[in-house]
Amino acid sequence: MYAQMSPVIERILDNIDKVMTGKRDIAELSLVSLLSGGHVLLEDVPGVGKTMMVRALAKSVSAQFKRIQFTPDLLPSDVTGVSIFNPKSNEFEFRPGPIMGNIILADEINRTSPKTQSALLEGMEESSVTVDGVTYHLERPFFVMATQNPIEYEGTYALPEAQLDRFLLKMKMGYPKLQEEIEVLTRAQKAPPIDKLEPVVDLEDLRKLQDDVKEVHIDYSIRRYIVELANETRTHHHVYLGVSPRGSIALMRASQALAYIRGRDYVLPDDVQYLVQFVFSHRMILKSEARFEGVTSEGIVEQVLAKVPVPVQRFVEK
C-alpha cells in the first residue's frame, strides 16, 4: 500500500531508533507533527522515555533544543523572556527566554499555573511571542513537545481546552516490551546512547521537508471525509463540545505529513483513520453523565469512525 519512504525521512527515523528502542511509531508521529508545523502532548508515567524522544529528535535534525521544567513557581517571563534595564546604555534590553529555540521540551507542563501555561499559547499558534508590547518572531522550525503525568494530580493544573486544542497530536509512549527493555539496558550499560547521536539532516533540509508536505495532494473526498468525522463528534449524544474546525485542519495537515513520510504525494483514507484518534480525542469535552458511565473520548472516536462512510470514489468538488 505504501510507496518507498523518502531516504531523508528514513535517516531521521533510523537515527532516533539508535536511542529509542521499539518506539518507531512514536518517532513517526512526532515527525508528523514537526513536518506539519504542529505540536505534541505526550502523556505517560515517568521513566518511559518522553524526554529522550524529544532530545533524539532535536539532535537528529541539528535543531536548537531548549528544555523548560514547569514548576508551580514558574512565571510567564521565565518562558518568554524579560526586558532588563542596562545602566550603561540607559535602555531596556530583551533577554530571550527558553521558548526562543527550535525544539522545546515543556516538561511536566501541568505542574505550573494556567497563567504560565498560557505563555506558550502565542508561540504555538502564531510562532511569535510578545514581551512589553514588542513582538518577536520565532525561527522555523518551532516545535513544542509537552509532557505530563496522568497519574499524579496533587499540585497539578489541568490544561485548559484552549491550550489542548493547540496540540496537533496527543499520544502515549507506553512501556517497552520485554526484549526491547533488555536492549535499552544493554545500550545504556556504558554510556547513554543519546550522547553519541549525530545529526543526519540540517535545519535547511527540515524546512524543505516542511514546505514539501504542504504540496501533498488531498482530494476533495478526503477533505469531506475529515469534516464529516469532525461533524459527527459535534452531534454525538455523549459529547458536550465536539471537534472544532481547527481540529479538522489539524487532521488534514497531519494526514499530508503522514502520506509524505510514507512516500506518497497524496493522502489516503487510511492516513486519516490512523491519525484521527491522536488528533481528535483530546479536543472533545464529554458530558458529565458520559464520564460517570465510563465513556471515553477514545471510544467515541472509534464509534465515529465506524459510523462515517469511508470515501471509495472521488466526489466532484462544489
Side-chain angles (χ1 to χ4, degrees):
M1 180 182 294
Y2 305 127
Q4 186 175 3
M5 183 179 290
S6 163
V8 178
I9 298 294
E10 196 158 12
R11 285 205 307 271
I12 297 173
L13 292 176
D14 288 344
N15 205 48
I16 295 174
D17 279 347
K18 295 177 183 177
V19 176
M20 301 300 301
T21 305
K23 299 297 180 185
R24 194 176 180 91
D25 56 338
I26 301 297
E28 183 183 67
L29 287 168
S30 301
L31 199 54
V32 162
S33 188
L34 176 59
L35 294 185
S36 57
H39 310 282
V40 168
L41 178 61
L42 270 176
E43 185 179 72
D44 219 321
V45 296
V48 293
K50 300 187 295 293
T51 301
M52 196 64 67
M53 173 62 72
V54 193
R55 292 181 61 195
L57 180 60
K59 277 201 166 187
S60 297
V61 298
S62 60
Q64 185 181 25
F65 172 73
K66 297 289 185 69
R67 174 175 179 164
I68 308 173
Q69 185 65 51
F70 282 84
T71 55
D73 59 347
L74 196 73
L75 299 174
S77 58
D78 295 328
V79 176
T80 60
V82 65
S83 294
I84 299 177
F85 184 74
N86 187 337
K88 291 183 179 180
S89 62
N90 205 32
E91 293 180 347
F92 282 92
E93 294 180 353
F94 176 65
R95 300 290 176 87
I99 198 173
M100 301 290 187
N102 297 125
I103 294 183
I104 313 299
L105 170 61
D107 206 9
E108 296 188 291
I109 189 173
N110 59 331
R111 288 203 173 276
T112 196
S113 68
K115 183 177 181 180
T116 304
Q117 290 173 9
S118 66
L120 284 172
L121 280 179
E122 183 183 357
M124 292 170 66
E125 186 66 20
E126 307 294 339
S127 295
S128 64
V129 294
T130 302
V131 180
D132 295 334
V134 180
T135 299
Y136 302 89
H137 294 283
L138 302 173
E139 182 187 357
R140 284 182 64 207
F142 176 71
F143 173 67
V144 174
M145 184 174 279
T147 70
Q148 66 176 6
N149 181 356
I151 303 301
E152 294 183 8
Y153 292 103
E154 186 175 349
T156 63
Y157 303 84
L159 294 179
E161 285 71 25
Q163 186 160 339
L164 280 174
D165 203 31
R166 261 67 174 189
F167 288 102
L168 185 84
L169 307 175
K170 180 184 177 184
M171 52 194 183
K172 299 179 180 180
M173 295 286 290
Y175 287 115
K177 297 177 182 177
L178 178 64
Q179 289 301 322
E180 292 170 351
E181 191 164 358
I182 293 173
E183 178 63 22
V184 169
L185 267 61
T186 302
R187 292 182 180 183
Q189 186 174 355
K190 294 183 179 179
I194 189 71
D195 294 341
K196 300 178 181 178
L197 205 64
E198 297 292 334
V200 292
V201 300
D202 58 27
L203 284 182
E204 195 56 43
D205 293 329
L206 183 58
R207 294 187 191 106
K208 176 65 166 57
L209 292 175
Q210 289 181 319
D211 291 336
D212 289 345
V213 163
K214 296 176 183 177
E215 301 302 319
V216 172
H217 175 69
I218 179 161
D219 190 73
Y220 172 75
S221 61
I222 306 294
R223 282 178 277 141
R224 175 171 169 166
Y225 181 50
I226 290 172
V227 173
E228 287 176 346
L229 289 171
N231 188 62
E232 194 63 37
T233 68
R234 300 165 195 164
T235 58
H236 195 283
H237 63 283
H238 279 314
V239 177
Y240 175 72
L241 191 65
V243 174
S244 69
R246 182 188 283 129
S248 302
I249 294 171
L251 183 53
M252 179 187 70
R253 290 178 176 169
S255 299
Q256 287 177 291
L258 182 62
Y260 184 84
I261 287 172
R262 292 180 171 177
R264 284 181 276 105
D265 61 357
Y266 56 91
V267 175
L268 292 175
D270 287 10
D271 301 321
V272 176
Q273 292 174 329
Y274 176 71
L275 290 167
V276 67
Q277 192 68 259
F278 304 106
V279 178
F280 277 8
S281 62
H282 63 288
R283 287 183 158 90
M284 293 185 291
I285 300 178
L286 304 189
K287 295 178 180 177
S288 56
E289 59 265 26
R291 294 194 294 270
F292 291 140
E293 294 172 13
V295 177
T296 63
S297 297
E298 290 80 7
I300 290 174
V301 172
E302 291 293 334
Q303 294 175 22
V304 167
L305 272 174
K307 184 175 181 179
V308 178
V310 180
V312 293
Q313 62 181 10
R314 296 182 62 184
F315 289 92
V316 178
E317 187 167 0
K318 298 179 182 179

